[in-house]
Amino acid sequence: MSTTIAPADVPETPAVPERGRGPRRLLRPGAAVLAGVLLFLSFPPRPLWWLAVPAFALLGWTLWGRRPRAGFGLGYLTGLGFLLPLLVWTGEEVGPVPWLALAAVEALFVAAVGLGVSAVSRLPAWPVFAAAVWILGEAARARVPFGGFPWGKIAFGQADGIFLPLAAVGGTPVLGFAVALCGFGLYEVLRQVRARRSGALETGPLVAAALAVLVPVTGAVAALPLVSDAAEDGTATVAAVQGNVPRLGLDFNAQRRAVLDNHANRTRELAAEVKAGRAPRPDVVLWPENSSDIDPYANPDAYQVIDRAVREVNAPTVIGAVIAPETGSLRNTLIAWEPGKGPVAEYDKRHVQPFGEYIPMRSFVRIFNSDVDRVRRDFGAGTKVGVFDLAGTKVGLATCYEAAFDWAVRDTVTHGAQLISVPSNNATFGRSEMTYQQLAMSRVRAVEHSRSVVVPVTSGVSAVIRPDGTIVAQTKLFTPDVLVEKVPLRSSLTPATRMGTLPEALLVAVAVAGLGGAAVRSARARRADRQA
């Protein structure tokens, strides 16, 4: 007769002296690192999204039944295995110190997740709590310090995956939760099968574990009707201009006029193609971030170059410019420029990049890297949501780094955007994977909000994305080009857009409930030990 053992009743794994165990003591640390590496490999440009599931399964094996202190250490190793290769582009031009420091700090959030997962791993339905703890860690990482750094959210690696429709249900938190739940559930299935073979467990726990795998997949299939690229409000022909930069690296700004001329010339060439009938006439033209690092308000020559290009293409154009007031902070600004009228609206980037566009703790950071002084004058943050009405088409604006933040994209849609533009400048990061990681974010945002997304980039990869997340056109890196595509305009709101932060808040509440339950259980166990 088999004996039923609920997960909550399994005694804690006793501490085993490491001395004399040889290579075995490296097994779990090695598995923790491997889990992180698999998470990294699941991200673009590799189409290996499915690796995230075995990564979480391996992480589940690594953390299950561990003491919280061990979970913290193992989680930190996972964070390093994941984030060190994922963020290597941050040291592309400034050396390894900023890259290593960023990865080391961000890995602390994964370490805290490891502690939490190990704590909840003895609870019934632990895969649910563990996946929610992962989302709790991502939510914290997206907010602190310095406004957060959500790069590497699990959802951003799923642009090609079967779970992608869940982005329309509850945004990146629900999408990431589904992937983590499937992985942790897979490990629990394997654990239950092994226990069942030994006659230790009955069918119920195995069925529950199987549901943790099947429910996310079934939910993604059920969410497919939310993914549509139908043109609810007609279509718009959009041109994305990639002018390219004179050279790679941080010093591309030293040839600011060349960058401006590149984008103006490509726009004028497009105008000539339209006039000759070789290209469709665009309704909207989109330039990238930093396409004019010369302030057109303060430099009449730059103003004339832009104005001439806009008049020739004869379409409202969004210009990425650096505005340098006589006093105060610089502004990373998008300008709506209309033919015959000039500038008619502005959007100032609201989430400026710490250590890139402004330097927190400048004197302290200079001790470790003098490159901080390349940022001689800090950028200030804007406060208004960016939605331009361009010849009747409402275009939502999220500048580069902002695409990583849920709120920065969502509120453009709730303010009426029919399509989204993510103008970016990736020249600083050379030929690294950064641009592909960022492009994947835009694909997830397209499905999350059911909007076409246009990504004009100074040096590539620029792209046009339909509301179902498919890329219909893209450029090559460091190649001048113009993409002209007809895209559907949409105004309906997905559940993810309507609910905003609610799904994330609910998952955080689940995580907190699990951690609270684990704390109560641990306290009861200690009291029982004292009484014994």
Side-chain angles (χ1 to χ4, degrees), residues 250-272:
L250 290 172
D251 290 329
F252 77 92
N253 280 330
Q255 298 189 36
R256 297 178 297 167
R257 178 55 191 266
V259 175
L260 171 57
D261 286 344
N262 285 351
H263 288 86
N265 291 339
R266 291 303 299 163
T267 303
R268 294 172 60 199
E269 289 171 11
L270 171 61

Side-chain angles (χ1 to χ4, degrees), residues 230-531:
E232 296 175 334
D233 303 323
T235 61
T237 300
V238 180
V241 179
Q242 178 173 304
N244 204 13
V245 298
R247 58 175 176 260
L248 282 66
L250 290 172
D251 290 329
F252 77 92
N253 280 330
Q255 298 189 36
R256 297 178 297 167
R257 178 55 191 266
V259 175
L260 171 57
D261 286 344
N262 285 351
H263 288 86
N265 291 339
R266 291 303 299 163
T267 303
R268 294 172 60 199
E269 289 171 11
L270 171 61
E273 293 286 309
V274 171
K275 187 175 181 180
R278 292 188 294 267
R281 181 176 298 279
D283 299 307
V284 174
V285 178
L286 301 172
W287 286 17
E289 176 190 32
N290 299 137
S291 46
S292 176
D293 274 343
I294 303 174
D295 185 346
Y297 300 131
N299 295 270
D301 187 49
Y303 187 104
Q304 292 171 8
V305 168
I306 296 169
D307 196 60
R308 179 185 176 189
V310 174
R311 281 188 286 106
E312 289 193 22
V313 80
N314 196 29
T317 303
V318 177
I319 309 297
V322 172
I323 307 302
E326 291 185 3
T327 60
S329 301
L330 297 173
R331 291 157 48 203
N332 188 338
T333 302
L334 300 175
I335 305 172
W337 205 294
E338 291 192 1
K341 295 183 180 179
V344 295
E346 294 180 356
Y347 167 67
D348 293 332
K349 188 175 183 180
R350 290 175 292 162
H351 200 305
V352 292
Q353 182 181 352
F355 304 103
E357 292 173 306
Y358 77 99
I359 306 298
M361 306 180 300
R362 183 183 289 267
S363 58
F364 175 75
V365 174
R366 189 183 292 114
I367 297 173
F368 302 96
N369 196 311
S370 61
D371 281 318
V372 298
D373 291 324
R374 290 176 181 266
V375 183
R376 297 183 179 91
R377 186 176 174 187
D378 288 341
F379 282 81
T383 57
K384 296 181 180 179
V385 178
V387 179
F388 287 165
D389 188 333
L390 303 176
T393 298
K394 292 184 178 180
V395 179
L397 306 163
T399 305
C400 195
Y401 181 61
E402 292 182 320
F405 294 86
D406 294 346
W407 59 267
V409 181
R410 181 176 56 244
D411 61 12
T412 69
V413 179
T414 58
H415 281 70
Q418 297 167 299
L419 70 86
I420 299 168
S421 176
V422 184
S424 303
N425 174 22
N426 298 337
T428 302
F429 306 111
R431 298 184 180 275
S432 69
E433 294 183 358
M434 180 271 186
T435 190
Y436 301 102
Q437 295 169 10
Q438 189 177 55
L439 180 59
M441 293 179 192
S442 295
R443 294 180 63 192
V444 172
R445 298 304 185 196
V447 174
E448 180 179 8
H449 301 294
S450 195
R451 294 292 187 273
S452 299
V453 179
V454 183
V455 186
V457 185
T458 51
S459 55
V461 172
S462 300
V464 179
I465 305 165
R466 294 181 72 85
D468 62 0
T470 58
I471 298 175
V472 294
Q474 70 180 70
T475 66
K476 296 179 180 179
L477 279 171
F478 295 98
T479 304
D481 206 346
V482 177
L483 304 176
V484 184
E485 295 290 336
K486 183 178 290 187
V487 298
L489 302 178
R490 295 177 60 83
S491 56
S492 62
L493 302 182
T494 64
T497 308
R498 292 179 184 276
M499 289 190 291
T501 60
L502 180 60
E504 183 181 62
L506 292 175
L507 291 173
V508 167
V510 171
V512 171
L515 293 171
V520 170
R521 177 183 176 276
S522 178
R524 287 175 177 173
R526 288 195 298 269
R527 284 199 299 270
D529 288 342
R530 287 195 297 267
Q531 291 172 357

Side-chain angles (χ1 to χ4, degrees), residues 4-26:
T4 301
I5 301 178
D9 297 326
V10 180
E12 293 284 354
T13 303
V16 179
E18 298 289 348
R19 187 175 301 170
R21 293 177 62 185
R24 287 187 58 192
R25 70 189 207 176
L26 300 177

Side-chain angles (χ1 to χ4, degrees), residues 169-196:
V169 176
T172 59
V174 168
L175 175 52
F177 173 78
V179 176
L181 177 60
C182 196
F184 287 133
L186 176 60
Y187 166 65
E188 180 64 5
V189 166
L190 297 175
R191 195 181 73 83
Q192 293 291 343
V193 167
R194 182 179 179 183
R196 183 172 171 80

